[in-house]
Amino acid sequence: MPNRARARTHAELHRTDRVGWLRAAVLGANDGIVSVAGLVVGVAASGADSGAILTAGIAGTVAGAMSMAAGEYVSVQSQADTERADMAIERRELREQPEAELRELARIYEQRGLDPVLALQVAERLTAHDALGAHARDELGISHSLRARPVQAALASAAAFCAGATLPIMATLLAPQSHAAMVVSASTLVGLLLSGGLAAWAGGAPVARGAVRVAFWGALAMGAAHLIGGLFDVAV
């Protein structure tokens, strides 16, 4: 009874099923915050008025979201095409050389520590259950949770970029023109600390390290943008 109770209550939380959308969402949000904040800070440092600063921020948000979505889609679609081609090869080999594929699967399990007899038995059982799935998972490293999903990645990336860009846009709207760069920079650093920490927590990584890492690169980007804007000192 105690063993059955423990079995019922034991639940493991794995995060690999989040990898695809989490990567795109984190990348999009951080890029939205840093890119638009850097653009706003750079334009503000050039002496532009509040209308020009806001216009630059909104234009940067639209262009950045489209760019992130397109880039993510193309990248993940390329991965999906490769997976599809590999699966087609594996499907053909299973049809034409089933015995060779069975031995290949057994060797994989031997290399993982099973004795030859047990490895062959496991390979036979998995082949009978789902031969293509077994080879996809154990030979090619393709699993359901890690399969490439281009549309999902593109939408997550674009939506996250817009969500991240909302922070510097709102800061631009609320900040006095004379202090726009300072307010946007400060709010952006806070936002980056939060997003970096949240991403680290969702992925099971140390929260403080993830937060500081993201904030550091964001501060570097805004510092460079402010420097460039100040050098030109041209009202837009």
Side-chain angles (χ1 to χ4, degrees):
M1 179 68 69
N3 288 338
R4 286 201 297 269
R6 281 199 297 271
R8 285 197 300 268
T9 58
H10 177 65
E12 294 182 343
L13 176 63
H14 296 290
R15 295 175 172 86
T16 53
D17 58 342
R18 305 177 183 175
V19 169
W21 65 263
L22 180 61
R23 171 185 170 275
V26 169
L27 180 62
N30 289 339
D31 199 24
I33 295 173
V34 175
S35 298
V36 177
L39 181 61
V40 166
V41 168
V43 174
S46 74
D49 60 33
S50 56
I53 297 172
L54 182 60
T55 300
I58 293 174
T61 299
V62 174
M66 295 300 295
S67 175
M68 288 292 293
E72 195 70 22
Y73 180 85
V74 170
S75 174
V76 179
Q77 183 62 58
S78 297
Q79 178 187 342
D81 291 342
T82 300
E83 291 178 354
R84 193 176 298 111
D86 284 344
M87 293 289 282
I89 293 172
E90 203 62 38
R91 191 177 290 108
R92 185 181 66 248
E93 290 178 345
L94 282 168
R95 185 175 60 252
E96 297 175 354
Q97 306 175 56
E99 291 300 322
E101 289 298 296
L102 178 64
R103 290 193 298 272
E104 183 178 35
L105 197 60
R107 283 196 298 271
I108 291 172
Y109 299 139
E110 285 184 48
Q111 293 169 0
R112 294 181 181 178
L114 299 183
D115 64 73
V117 175
L118 181 57
L120 181 59
Q121 290 175 345
V122 171
E124 288 173 342
R125 290 292 298 273
L126 292 179
T127 297
H129 175 67
D130 181 6
L132 184 61
H135 281 271
R137 181 181 61 252
D138 296 323
E139 181 183 348
L140 304 177
I142 300 173
S143 64
H144 176 73
S145 61
L146 299 179
R147 288 290 295 271
R149 296 176 176 85
V151 175
Q152 181 191 64
L155 292 177
S157 184
F161 186 97
C162 291
T166 300
L167 178 63
I169 293 294
M170 292 302 298
T172 302
L173 284 171
L174 299 175
Q177 182 177 340
S178 57
H179 297 88
M182 182 178 65
V183 172
V184 170
S185 297
S187 60
T188 296
L189 286 177
V190 172
L192 288 173
L193 284 169
L194 291 174
S195 71
L198 181 62
W201 172 80
V207 173
R209 185 186 305 169
V212 171
R213 180 171 54 209
V214 173
F216 170 78
W217 288 106
L220 209 61
M222 287 187 294
H226 189 277
L227 177 62
I228 297 299
L231 287 175
F232 283 97
D233 194 22
V234 177
V236 179

